[in-house]
Amino acid sequence: DARLVSYYYCSEIPLTTGDVVSPGRWGQTIVATGPDHDFYYRELVWEQVRATEFPGRPSRMDCAFAFQSEASALTWAESGERIYAVSVGPESPTFLADMTWITVARQGHGFADVLEIVRRYWRGEASGHPAIELLVAGDLKIDREVGAGKAA
């Protein structure tokens, strides 16, 4: 159960124990920027597959994101970002997915192959080198700061 373990959140904004990270920031950024956002069309494909084939999964546009492992958070975090251990509310819908599929989909595949890769993400399949993210359709609560992203 996702609510019984710690997850790790990266933020460029300093946070303190007890602060709450609300869901939907990523989706709001994508929608507000529109097609000029570098990841707009990627997220459009991911959302279309989710909505039509996996409607029970929480939308990436309406979620907060955390990493399953501190090591993945440290790898992902950019210079200056802080990493926090977070907890998930008991009523929040969650889904664990392997972020590696997002990278794999960009590596010169045809349309049909990309759609199958997106399905693997939404099925919750692990790649050969998984980087597991937690999608939370609810708040993340900051438990403590655990580190900082790599130096510039």
Side-chain angles (χ1 to χ4, degrees):
D1 187 344
R3 289 160 281 280
L4 300 177
V5 297
S6 286
Y7 290 92
Y8 301 90
Y9 176 74
C10 301
S11 177
E12 68 282 354
I13 301 166
L15 300 166
T16 59
T17 299
D19 283 351
V20 172
V21 176
S22 298
R25 182 174 162 217
W26 175 246
Q28 292 166 0
T29 300
I30 295 290
V31 171
T33 307
D36 289 336
H37 194 286
D38 290 343
F39 301 119
Y40 180 85
Y41 291 105
R42 177 192 79 191
E43 293 296 344
L44 177 68
V45 171
W46 248 252
E47 180 59 17
Q48 183 64 35
V49 171
R50 185 209 60 80
T52 58
E53 299 181 35
F54 302 90
R57 304 279 194 236
S59 170
R60 291 176 53 82
M61 299 296 96
D62 299 328
C63 284
F65 299 86
F67 290 93
Q68 187 176 38
S69 75
E70 185 177 343
S72 290
L74 285 165
T75 299
W76 178 263
E78 296 178 6
S79 177
E81 282 190 316
R82 293 175 171 97
I83 300 162
Y84 300 91
V86 296
S87 53
V88 177
E91 302 300 319
S92 299
T94 61
F95 176 65
L96 288 168
D98 184 352
M99 288 181 61
T100 304
W101 293 121
I102 295 171
T103 303
V104 169
R106 296 187 343 223
Q107 297 172 343
H109 299 282
F111 290 152
D113 290 338
V114 167
L115 289 174
E116 183 53 32
I117 291 165
V118 173
R119 289 181 186 109
R120 288 178 179 174
Y121 174 93
W122 287 117
R123 284 193 295 259
E125 293 180 21
S127 67
H129 303 284
I132 305 299
E133 67 179 344
L134 177 73
L135 282 67
V136 181
D139 294 338
L140 299 174
K141 182 181 167 197
I142 303 297
D143 293 333
R144 69 186 189 288
E145 184 172 342
V146 296
K150 50 193 171 243

